[in-house]
Amino acid sequence: MGSVKIVHGGLDTAELRSLGLRPEQVLDFSANISPMGPSPRVRRAVADANLAAYPDRSSLLLRESLAARLNVGIDNLLVGNGSTELIHLLARSCLRPGEQCLIFTPTFAEYEAAATMVGAQIHRIQASEEQGFRWSLDTASATISELRPRLVFLCNPNNPTGVYLECDAVDQLRAAVGRDGLFVLDDAYASLAARQWDPLPILGSGNVAILRSLTKDHALAGVRLGYLVAQSTVVSTARQLQYAWSVNAVAQAAGVAALEDAGHVVAAREVVREAKAYLYNRLETLGIPVTASAANFLLANVGDATRIRTALLRRGIAVRDCTSFGLPEHVRIAARRPEECVHLVEALRDVLVEE
């Protein structure tokens, strides 16, 4: 089988150590998580979790909580060790060697990694900066109809571009997949978007799976927690491939508590809105083109992403080098609290002056 080099956001302890830095000395704009951090309710639930007991293998309490809030059946839900585990479970359960997998790119690398590991043939619908990183829906639909892929991955809002397709556009793509394929809609970033639409009604078509990550909107990256909503047959097939105790007790407790604090996400959306407005304005002043984004991050064209990232990191600011997305001129900047964004802009201004 082939392999795909995976690069993610977040701090690397070994790299920081080589620069004489500690994680607590760095403002991390490279990870797309809520600028609010975890809810106090979540922190209390985590502290009370029973570390001596095995976790519930089926994450029953969390699935019940999700089912009540989403108005879906409990058999339509699978909880995973982050959405990454669920991506790999879907690839393993849906794809056989040589079968077709189509991915809307540039995007999250785990889709291609998962499909490659099972020996699938990868096809890409590539978006360009000249078109605002928006795909041609007619071209994409025609390609899907011709290839008849078994699995299609769309991240919406997309990582790293922030492009957010409306319901009609997504349904057009879903319809092109047909009954023999599965359209995977990863809307991990939708809950932090200023304007959202609900994709759950399209589950009734039978060929859709929705991926979500509590990592993003509830800032639970450290415990790894995501879930899949799909037809019960899709869920049960994927569940058979999941390792026992994949989702630990701390993660399950955190998830239940997070769902009980919807106001925390509402507050995070407001912080994201303020931070993005500030960053758009200041980056424009610095002459840095920014792609319009519906998500809680911005894609900025800085010319040499690797150099800029390294120079910022030496100043205690981490951004995401998008070279691994095939975008060597771009960095991705997550929205943090406005006062933290001020430090980013000041450091970036200093770096640009040194050019």
Side-chain angles (χ1 to χ4, degrees):
M1 300 295 179
S3 63
V4 177
K5 182 180 180 181
I6 304 297
V7 179
H8 293 300
L11 303 179
D12 182 279
T13 302
E15 180 183 26
L16 295 183
R17 187 174 295 173
S18 72
L19 296 173
L21 295 169
R22 298 188 305 275
E24 61 269 22
Q25 295 176 304
V26 180
L27 280 176
D28 186 8
F29 290 83
S30 72
N32 300 329
I33 65 173
S34 167
M36 298 286 289
S39 158
R41 187 173 300 187
V42 170
R43 293 185 184 277
R44 290 193 295 270
V46 165
D48 292 339
N50 185 354
L51 303 186
Y54 281 102
D56 175 17
R57 284 178 289 182
S58 68
S59 302
L60 180 60
L61 293 179
L62 180 51
R63 286 165 58 225
E64 287 177 339
S65 183
L66 285 166
R69 283 159 176 77
L70 302 176
N71 195 28
V72 300
I74 194 169
D75 291 337
N76 298 116
L77 290 159
L78 179 62
V79 176
N81 188 277
S83 58
T84 295
E85 181 195 24
L86 299 168
I87 290 166
H88 284 261
L89 290 175
L90 285 171
R92 290 170 57 203
S93 62
C94 294
L95 291 169
R96 299 292 175 269
E99 290 186 332
Q100 316 289 330
C101 177
L102 185 140
I103 305 171
F104 286 81
T105 59
T107 196
F108 189 45
E110 292 291 349
Y111 309 140
E112 183 167 344
T116 299
M117 288 179 69
V118 298
Q121 292 189 31
I122 310 296
H123 299 271
R124 302 170 189 83
I125 301 291
Q126 182 74 24
S128 68
E129 186 173 14
E130 292 72 24
Q131 300 299 320
F133 290 107
R134 302 189 72 86
W135 304 279
S136 166
L137 297 180
D138 290 340
T139 299
S141 297
T143 301
I144 292 172
S145 297
E146 179 182 351
L147 286 175
R148 312 306 297 176
R150 286 282 296 125
L151 202 56
V152 174
F153 285 105
L154 171 68
C155 186
N156 193 53
N158 186 46
N159 173 22
T161 63
V163 168
Y164 192 24
L165 301 184
E166 296 291 343
C167 180
D168 289 348
V170 170
D171 201 45
Q172 176 183 337
L173 299 173
R174 176 212 58 79
V177 173
R179 294 181 177 273
D180 295 329
L182 183 67
F183 182 79
V184 181
L185 179 66
D186 184 346
D187 73 347
Y189 299 103
S191 60
L192 290 177
R195 181 176 52 83
Q196 309 148 43
W197 58 272
D198 182 10
L200 290 174
I202 66 176
L203 286 172
S205 63
N207 67 341
V208 175
I210 298 173
L211 281 173
R212 288 179 172 164
S213 170
L214 295 173
T215 293
K216 316 305 181 197
D217 46 7
H218 292 282
L220 300 181
V223 298
R224 312 301 306 132
L225 189 62
Y227 63 93
L228 166 71
V229 194
Q231 294 293 320
S232 58
T233 52
V234 173
V235 169
S236 62
T237 303
R239 180 181 289 122
Q240 291 173 19
L241 299 173
Q242 189 175 38
Y243 294 118
W245 304 298
S246 169
V247 184
N248 65 64
V250 171
Q252 291 183 42
V256 171
L259 294 173
E260 293 172 349
D261 195 357
H264 194 68
V265 179
V266 174
R269 273 200 296 271
E270 179 59 21
V271 174
V272 167
R273 185 193 65 77
E274 293 178 11
K276 284 173 61 180
Y278 172 82
L279 288 170
Y280 271 123
N281 179 271
R282 293 300 186 271
L283 293 176
E284 182 180 53
T285 300
L286 292 175
I288 297 174
V290 179
T291 300
S293 169
N296 59 314
F297 51 85
L298 303 176
L299 185 68
N301 189 327
V302 295
D304 185 341
T306 300
R307 190 192 73 78
I308 294 295
R309 174 192 176 273
T310 301
L312 286 173
L313 189 58
R314 292 183 185 279
R315 290 167 169 78
I317 303 286
V319 297
R320 175 70 155 86
D321 178 353
C322 289
T323 299
S324 64
F325 289 102
L327 303 171
E329 297 181 343
H330 294 76
V331 296
R332 190 189 67 200
I333 303 170
R336 292 183 65 104
R337 294 177 184 272
E339 61 270 24
E340 295 172 323
C341 293
V342 171
H343 294 296
L344 166 69
V345 171
E346 290 174 348
L348 186 54
R349 182 184 294 114
D350 291 343
V351 169
L352 294 176
V353 167
E354 292 176 354
E355 288 188 317

